[in-house]
Amino acid sequence: MPSVLRHRRRAAAVVAAAVSVCLVAGGCSSGDGPSSPSPLQQTFPSPDELSRAVLAALADEDADHLASLALSESEFRTVVWPELPSSRPERGLPFDYVWGDLHQKSTNALRRLVAGHGGRRYTLAGVAFRGETTPYETYRVHREAVLDLLDEEGNELTLPLFGSILERDGEFKLFSYVVD
């Protein structure tokens, strides 16, 4: 029994790390065709463009579109997972477990985001990252994104509306809606 508990704790720690590596709308590289060089869909040329896409979908209360901006299972499997330490066979963590946990947490965070901010029209003033940037072989993860915003009345706000942003080949994609 103690080994099961250790395995679960280790799995939770790895999932927490993957989640903290943390998803966004209609980007510059839609990847909608066979000529797309990137396995990532709906990427953007900058964190600002990605954030504006999230804000637009949030203003429209379009949870489906917001969800489509986050890493998909296929993107996580082909781009992210192979380079995570948790994917090593000696770790014993199955992909389905890690993805399922990340996806569930991101979906729950997205629901809270839409409930709390849906319909509001924010203007982006800037994006900052309060966490570290973690380099992997083919991508980097910018952690703890916070948005400097103006609300409809012109009030300045700083909000963590989503978690981390993945950068690959000069393109940016929302990792997940999980805010650590």
Side-chain angles (χ1 to χ4, degrees), residues 83-105:
E83 296 180 31
L84 290 178
S86 57
S87 70
R88 295 183 192 137
E90 64 270 16
R91 296 285 175 99
L93 289 172
F95 170 85
D96 291 337
Y97 174 81
V98 175
W99 167 252
D101 190 65
L102 172 63
H103 184 66
Q104 179 181 7
K105 287 177 180 177

Side-chain angles (χ1 to χ4, degrees), residues 95-164:
F95 170 85
D96 291 337
Y97 174 81
V98 175
W99 167 252
D101 190 65
L102 172 63
H103 184 66
Q104 179 181 7
K105 287 177 180 177
S106 184
T107 299
N108 291 340
L110 175 56
R111 286 186 189 126
R112 289 189 301 273
L113 176 65
V114 173
H117 296 276
R120 296 185 184 175
R121 306 234 176 253
Y122 295 120
T123 301
L124 183 69
V127 179
F129 299 97
R130 293 190 175 154
E132 64 183 38
T133 296
T134 306
Y136 293 88
E137 186 176 331
T138 64
Y139 62 89
R140 297 176 352 154
V141 177
H142 305 276
R143 301 177 191 271
E144 297 180 40
V146 292
L147 307 183
D148 291 324
L149 306 167
L150 296 175
D151 67 13
E152 292 175 294
E153 291 81 36
N155 299 310
E156 295 179 4
L157 306 166
T158 299
L159 298 173
L161 298 180
F162 50 82
S164 298

Side-chain angles (χ1 to χ4, degrees), residues 34-106:
S35 63
S36 175
S38 175
L40 297 176
Q41 305 294 304
Q42 298 190 45
T43 60
F44 297 83
S46 70
D48 285 11
E49 292 295 321
L50 173 62
S51 298
R52 284 187 191 95
V54 170
L55 294 173
L58 189 57
D60 292 340
E61 299 181 84
D62 191 343
D64 290 336
H65 187 63
L66 285 163
S68 76
L69 299 174
L71 283 172
S72 68
E73 180 177 1
S74 174
E75 292 168 327
F76 186 80
R77 180 185 303 273
T78 60
V79 175
V80 175
W81 178 249
E83 296 180 31
L84 290 178
S86 57
S87 70
R88 295 183 192 137
E90 64 270 16
R91 296 285 175 99
L93 289 172
F95 170 85
D96 291 337
Y97 174 81
V98 175
W99 167 252
D101 190 65
L102 172 63
H103 184 66
Q104 179 181 7
K105 287 177 180 177
S106 184

Side-chain angles (χ1 to χ4, degrees), residues 1-11 91:
M1 191 64 107
S3 66
V4 170
L5 184 56
R6 252 191 327 271
H7 177 73
R8 285 187 180 163
R9 284 184 181 158
R10 183 174 32 210
R91 296 285 175 99

